[in-house]
């Protein structure tokens, strides 16, 4: 993609910017299969949900201090999430270089991306693949708690439309008003410890 704004998602064509009608489908069509360090998420562009692919590469560092790089996600927020995972889950990111990338040029600038970023990081450092049918969204606090996010119905509807059958989301967002098809599993979590029970097992 070229750019995003409150109205839509655009790419540069021969005659200027061209709106991409289904940006979520474009990103998911190019997503690699059975690869660790990859997790799908969903952010809002205004009132429009955009499915994105987060990639995290975690590799043993050759330096005294591991290198950190973020593309499409706030660098300081990434460092905060890494610190939470180190403290709360005893994951040794400090021994590794960490690279986070949001595929397709989408910029994740809202807290709802925290959970999918964290899951990609966990998958990257453990080298375990998150199943393709899994998507996640939720804000993560310093204590490792998973906080509720807005527009949950829009996000879930878009995830179902794209074929995801396991949706990991904040437990407080799981209400009776949130309806999904019978083949879709809503996995409400209160903290990052509970995420581990859902992110690798299949529906």
């Amino acid at each position: 993609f070229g750019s995003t704004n409150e109205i839509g998602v655009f790419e540069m064509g021969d005659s200027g910017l061209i709106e991409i009608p289904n940006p979520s489908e474009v990103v998911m069509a190019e997503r690699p299969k059975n690869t660790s360090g990859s997790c799908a998420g969903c952010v809002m562009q205004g009132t429009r949900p955009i499915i994105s692919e987060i990639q995290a590469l975690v590799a043993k560092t050759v330096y005294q201090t591991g290198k950190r790089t973020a593309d499409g996600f706030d660098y300081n927020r990434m460092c905060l999430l890494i610190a939470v995972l180190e403290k709360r889950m005893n994951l040794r990111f400090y021994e590794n270089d960490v690279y986070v990338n949001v595929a397709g040029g989408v910029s994740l600038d809202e807290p709802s991306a925290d959970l999918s970023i964290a899951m990609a990081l966990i998958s990257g450092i453990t080298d375990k693949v998150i199943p393709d049918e899994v998507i996640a969204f939720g804000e993560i606090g310093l204590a490792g708690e998973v906080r509720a996010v807005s527009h949950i119905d829009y996000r879930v509807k878009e995830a179902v439309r794209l074929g995801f059958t396991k949706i990991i989301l904040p437990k407080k967002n799981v209400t009776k008003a949130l309806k999904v098809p019978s083949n879709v599993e809503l996995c409400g979590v209160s903290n990052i410890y509970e995420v581990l029970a859902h992110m690798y097992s299949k529906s």
Side-chain angles (χ1 to χ4, degrees), residues 50-68:
I50 304 292
I51 302 293
S52 54
E53 180 205 352
I54 295 91
Q55 300 174 330
L57 177 63
V58 183
K60 195 76 174 179
T61 187
V62 297
Y63 306 103
Q64 186 173 1
T65 304
K67 183 179 180 181
R68 306 283 183 260

Side-chain angles (χ1 to χ4, degrees), residues 48-89:
R48 184 180 189 181
I50 304 292
I51 302 293
S52 54
E53 180 205 352
I54 295 91
Q55 300 174 330
L57 177 63
V58 183
K60 195 76 174 179
T61 187
V62 297
Y63 306 103
Q64 186 173 1
T65 304
K67 183 179 180 181
R68 306 283 183 260
T69 301
D71 187 5
F73 187 70
D74 182 72
Y75 174 82
N76 292 324
R77 189 72 183 175
M78 178 194 69
C79 291
L80 182 149
L81 291 175
I82 289 174
V84 170
L85 295 176
E86 286 183 331
K87 176 68 174 180
R88 306 302 176 189
M89 303 187 73

Side-chain angles (χ1 to χ4, degrees), residues 7 25 32 64 72 96 107 116-117 122 135 145 183:
I7 300 174
E25 295 177 2
Q64 186 173 1
N96 297 275
S107 179
S116 50
I117 295 283
I122 295 170
I135 188 170
E145 76 276 17
N183 67 318

Side-chain angles (χ1 to χ4, degrees), residues 92-108:
R92 303 171 74 171
F93 286 98
Y94 59 86
E95 297 179 344
N96 297 275
D97 295 330
V98 179
Y99 305 87
V100 170
N101 175 61
V102 182
V106 176
S107 179
L108 306 185

Side-chain angles (χ1 to χ4, degrees), residues 60-201:
K60 195 76 174 179
T61 187
V62 297
Y63 306 103
Q64 186 173 1
T65 304
K67 183 179 180 181
R68 306 283 183 260
T69 301
D71 187 5
F73 187 70
D74 182 72
Y75 174 82
N76 292 324
R77 189 72 183 175
M78 178 194 69
C79 291
L80 182 149
L81 291 175
I82 289 174
V84 170
L85 295 176
E86 286 183 331
K87 176 68 174 180
R88 306 302 176 189
M89 303 187 73
N90 200 31
L91 295 173
R92 303 171 74 171
F93 286 98
Y94 59 86
E95 297 179 344
N96 297 275
D97 295 330
V98 179
Y99 305 87
V100 170
N101 175 61
V102 182
V106 176
S107 179
L108 306 185
D109 56 359
E110 61 166 317
S112 67
D114 287 355
L115 188 54
S116 50
I117 295 283
M119 286 172 57
L121 287 166
I122 295 170
S123 174
I125 198 170
T126 60
D127 202 27
K128 292 183 179 180
V129 178
I130 298 174
D132 294 334
E133 67 268 19
V134 173
I135 188 170
F137 28 85
E139 180 181 356
I140 295 179
L142 295 183
E145 76 276 17
V146 178
R147 297 175 174 270
V149 296
S150 62
H151 301 295
I152 194 66
D153 50 341
Y154 288 94
R155 300 179 201 267
V156 168
K157 184 177 180 179
E158 181 71 356
V160 170
R161 187 180 74 83
L162 267 291
F164 292 96
T165 56
K166 175 174 279 191
I167 303 172
I168 302 176
L169 71 168
K171 184 170 289 185
K172 288 189 176 180
N173 279 132
V174 182
T175 65
K176 292 182 179 180
L178 196 60
K179 304 294 184 182
V180 294
S182 59
N183 67 318
V184 176
E185 181 183 3
L186 294 177
C187 302
V189 295
S190 298
N191 53 62
I192 56 175
Y193 310 109
E194 295 178 2
V195 172
L196 295 177
H198 301 291
M199 63 185 286
Y200 298 127
S201 62

